[in-house]
Amino acid sequence: MRVVPLLTVLLLAACAQPLDTGADGPPDDGAVLAGRTFLSTAVVRDGKPYELFKGTRIRLTLDDDGHVGATAGCNSMGGDADLSGGRLRMTGDVSMTDMGCDPKLHEQDTLVSGFLQAGPRWELAGDVLTLRTDTMEVTLQDQESADPDRPLTGTRWQVDTVLDGQSASSVPAGATAFLEFADGKVQGHTGCNNLGGTAVLAEKTIAFADIFTTKMACADDVDKLERAVLATLKGDVAWQVTADRLTLTGPDVHGLQLRATQK
């Protein structure tokens, strides 16, 4: 995916005093946030509750190496940051992927990117993280308590987004494509036909082989979905589960995003 540099805004530091959580290091030096992911539970903008696009949340990931990443429903963004003194300051260019999405999701990406670059003050109380600027406040909860990762096997994963290079598209209305993994096998539905085959799981990849389907004819839009599903399930495919979301990324431009659902 193409990476687009964004202007980094540096502001003067102002110190906020978060609550001590008992973690290593002073409570405002960023050590208490390292290696954790947080999901938004509330957003306030200009003093009023702000509703995010339906079905989306702000996801904030803080790596051990000082990198901060975020998603807000469409593109991924991130960069190196300094979390000392109770303030999040981006210390270099912020990058963002450039997938085509609903215009409202693009607006949300821009809002969240600007918020992070504005140097928000942060405060951690238990598993609740609050980020504040003069015009916006985002409350987030540690993902481990808010929305634990679902197991890859034994879960039905329904396709809701098709990834193709720099674009992302939703599935056709009324079409249901899903995958289930168990005992080195995959089974599911392409949106039109049943599928099955071998799926050997490793820590970061799934090796797909011998994928077969039934042979029903599909409408054009559903046929396109089927071709996208089958194009992804080839060879070694990277996988990642975050909460109820599974992302499959093939070695070429094809990929899928799926959501855990009830069988």
Side-chain angles (χ1 to χ4, degrees), residues 169-187:
S169 58
S170 58
V171 303
T176 301
F178 67 88
L179 302 174
E180 296 174 354
F181 300 92
D183 301 323
K185 302 290 185 181
V186 61
Q187 65 176 10

Side-chain angles (χ1 to χ4, degrees), residues 41-117:
T41 57
V43 179
V44 175
R45 189 180 184 192
D46 297 326
K48 299 178 181 179
Y50 181 84
E51 294 294 330
L52 297 174
F53 192 80
K54 184 178 180 181
T56 67
R57 301 174 84 170
I58 299 170
R59 183 182 306 275
L60 188 69
T61 301
L62 304 109
D63 296 342
D64 293 328
D65 60 2
H67 184 275
V68 172
T71 59
C74 180
N75 285 285
S76 299
M77 64 193 79
D80 294 332
D82 178 2
L83 295 165
S84 63
R87 201 175 194 108
L88 190 161
R89 305 176 192 83
M90 306 307 295
T91 58
D93 286 340
V94 178
S95 63
M96 184 185 292
T97 56
D98 191 25
M99 295 193 304
C101 303
D102 186 290
K104 291 184 179 179
L105 289 177
H106 278 296
E107 291 178 8
Q108 193 160 287
D109 282 347
T110 300
L111 175 67
V112 173
S113 175
F115 175 71
L116 293 178
Q117 292 179 84

Side-chain angles (χ1 to χ4, degrees), residues 171-222:
V171 303
T176 301
F178 67 88
L179 302 174
E180 296 174 354
F181 300 92
D183 301 323
K185 302 290 185 181
V186 61
Q187 65 176 10
H189 202 269
T190 66
C192 179
N193 284 286
N194 294 324
L195 69 83
T198 300
V200 179
L201 308 184
E203 183 179 359
K204 296 182 179 180
T205 60
I206 304 173
F208 291 100
D210 303 322
I211 301 298
F212 63 88
T213 69
T214 54
K215 301 299 182 181
M216 290 181 58
C218 310
D220 288 346
D221 57 347
V222 179

